[in-house]
Amino acid sequence: MEWNDVNLRWNETDYGNVKDLRIPPYKIWKPDVLMYNSADEGFDGTYQTKVVVSSNGNCLYIPPGIFKSTCKIDITWFPFDDQRCKMKFGSWTYSGWQLDLQLQSEDGGDLSDFIKNGEWDLIEVPGVRNVQQYQCCPEPYVDITFVIKIRRRTIYYLYNLVLPCVMISSMTLLGFSLPPDTGEKLTLGVTILLSLTVFHNLVTETLPQVSDAMPVLGTYFNCIMFMVASSVVSTVLILNYHHRSAETHEMSPMVKSLFLQWLPWVLRLNRPGEKITRKTIMMNNKMRELELKERSSKSLLANVLDIDDDFRAHTLPHTHTTNTNNTAGFIRVPHGGHSVDDSHLVHTCMSSCTRELNLILKEIRIITDKMRKEDEESDVKNDWRFAAMVLDRLCLIIFTLFTITATVAVLLSAPHIIVP
């Protein structure tokens, strides 16, 4: 502070050419300028140095001190944030008519002696002279307000928080490329979720405990944790599809159409030896409709036995059934060249052969049914595995787009990204 006191003037020639004096502040008048928004326990954090008094009455008072002020912190864009802290100085007892405060420079504070900080970068310290008029009093009240504008350095947070988070989230995407039979697909997702939880705790400890705003870095971590948690749920569903079989689950027509036809066609997935195109999808649907119509046109016996309607007409054309069990039959033999005993022998032989043939056909039918059932179960199991692979690829694309979009949105929305 600098002011002029007419009571402290003297003639230098009368006092041995003494140009200035150092006088303790409690022995002369000095303006009671204090910081209004002080947070210091003693309110005034300055050291009371001596006042330099010149012969012309000019007084220079430069008390050193550490000022602690209240400041509202906005952490919306943490760690890409700028902070504005105000320091309001004014007289505690004098009005503007008695003490008129003026700025020494329109630029505000002097930044030439600023020592660089590892976390903050000082942009500017503009000063403003304010004149406040109150309704109670006719005199004005003057104050000088300095606005300290600082910007957080982001290199530390980019290398220690943002970059590890992006790398861990990319490992989540690699989990969708892991085969389900390895048994580590779900373990990888849970491990990544725990790692992100640890990083989120580090970010929480770094931030001030306020509820006015949600920091952009915290929002980003929450989005990534939500994505990882969703990937764990998706992995459980994928493993459920992969290990399904015909004995436990039946694939509905809607699931078949969605996961075996349309989604593979959209995702450009093909089964071994089968290329899935729009044309093949339409042909398969038409063939299924024709097969249903054909089954509805068959007789009830043919649908139950899964045979053609004319099956009985083409089997054993020279054999006639005589009993309900279909165990006896004979071939008509003329009586001209054989005796009755020969005919009886032939009849007995044919009855025995027919019985053996029926047993053989029954065993063949059982074996055939078993093989057909195993083939059908294998086809159903392969369909579920292919559906799981389609769902795996779909989740990979969705979560990749989500991760890239969230990362780019956070970085582009920030006021600045890299502050060295």
Side-chain angles (χ1 to χ4, degrees), residues 214-231:
M214 175 64 68
V216 64
L217 185 61
T219 304
Y220 176 69
F221 268 82
N222 289 332
C223 291
I224 296 299
M225 289 183 64
F226 173 77
M227 186 270 292
V228 175
S230 301
S231 69

Side-chain angles (χ1 to χ4, degrees), residues 152-168:
R152 194 187 303 269
R153 297 176 181 270
T154 59
I155 296 297
Y156 172 82
Y157 298 97
L158 286 176
Y159 277 95
N160 293 280
L161 293 179
V162 178
L163 187 59
C165 179
V166 174
M167 295 177 64
I168 292 176

Side-chain angles (χ1 to χ4, degrees), residues 111-318:
L111 306 182
S112 59
D113 295 332
F114 173 71
I115 300 176
K116 290 186 177 181
N117 185 267
E119 185 177 1
W120 296 97
D121 185 20
L122 181 61
I123 301 176
E124 58 180 349
V125 186
V128 180
R129 179 179 181 271
N130 301 314
V131 179
Q132 186 71 32
Q133 195 80 31
Y134 297 98
Q135 296 180 358
C136 65
C137 309
E139 64 273 8
Y141 289 87
V142 183
D143 67 82
I144 302 295
T145 302
F146 293 95
V147 181
I148 301 177
K149 297 181 180 180
I150 54 179
R151 176 170 295 171
R152 194 187 303 269
R153 297 176 181 270
T154 59
I155 296 297
Y156 172 82
Y157 298 97
L158 286 176
Y159 277 95
N160 293 280
L161 293 179
V162 178
L163 187 59
C165 179
V166 174
M167 295 177 64
I168 292 176
S169 60
S170 63
M171 293 177 63
T172 305
L173 304 178
L174 294 177
F176 289 108
S177 302
L178 194 65
D181 292 331
T182 57
E184 300 294 333
K185 199 176 183 69
L186 188 60
T187 305
L188 178 62
V190 175
T191 304
I192 294 172
L193 183 60
L194 293 177
S195 301
L196 282 177
T197 304
V198 173
F199 274 96
H200 189 269
N201 291 334
L202 294 177
V203 175
T204 305
E205 294 176 358
T206 305
L207 295 176
Q209 298 180 1
V210 296
S211 300
D212 295 338
M214 175 64 68
V216 64
L217 185 61
T219 304
Y220 176 69
F221 268 82
N222 289 332
C223 291
I224 296 299
M225 289 183 64
F226 173 77
M227 186 270 292
V228 175
S230 301
S231 69
V232 173
V233 176
S234 302
T235 302
V236 172
L237 182 60
I238 291 169
L239 292 177
N240 190 357
Y241 273 30
H242 182 78
H243 294 286
R244 286 186 179 184
S245 62
E247 298 177 354
T248 57
H249 295 85
E250 181 180 359
M251 185 175 290
S252 63
M254 184 181 67
V255 175
K256 286 184 179 181
S257 177
L258 182 62
F259 288 98
L260 301 184
Q261 294 180 348
W262 293 108
L263 280 180
W265 174 65
V266 173
L267 301 176
R268 297 295 186 267
L269 288 176
N270 296 316
R271 305 184 73 167
E274 179 182 354
K275 188 175 182 181
I276 301 176
T277 61
R278 185 181 179 86
K279 184 177 180 180
T280 58
I281 293 174
M282 301 304 295
M283 290 181 61
N284 289 334
N285 292 334
K286 291 181 179 180
M287 291 294 295
R288 189 178 296 108
E289 292 178 359
L290 293 175
E291 184 178 354
L292 292 175
K293 291 181 180 179
E294 183 180 357
R295 280 184 172 273
S296 62
S297 63
K298 286 182 180 181
S299 63
L300 178 61
L301 181 61
N303 284 325
V304 172
L305 298 179
D306 196 15
I307 58 176
D308 295 333
D309 288 336
D310 54 351
F311 174 78
R312 296 174 64 87
H314 293 283
T315 56
L316 299 177
H318 299 288

Side-chain angles (χ1 to χ4, degrees), residues 15-63:
Y15 297 95
N17 294 325
V18 176
K19 297 182 179 180
D20 49 38
L21 297 173
R22 274 72 178 172
I23 304 176
Y26 59 89
K27 290 187 176 182
I28 62 173
W29 179 91
K30 70 178 181 66
D32 56 345
V33 177
L34 298 174
M35 186 170 65
Y36 284 4
N37 57 336
S38 176
D40 198 299
E41 295 180 357
F43 195 83
D44 186 9
T46 59
Y47 178 75
Q48 302 294 322
T49 59
K50 294 182 178 181
V51 181
V52 180
V53 182
S54 301
S55 60
N56 57 359
N58 289 335
C59 299
L60 180 62
Y61 181 56
I62 310 177

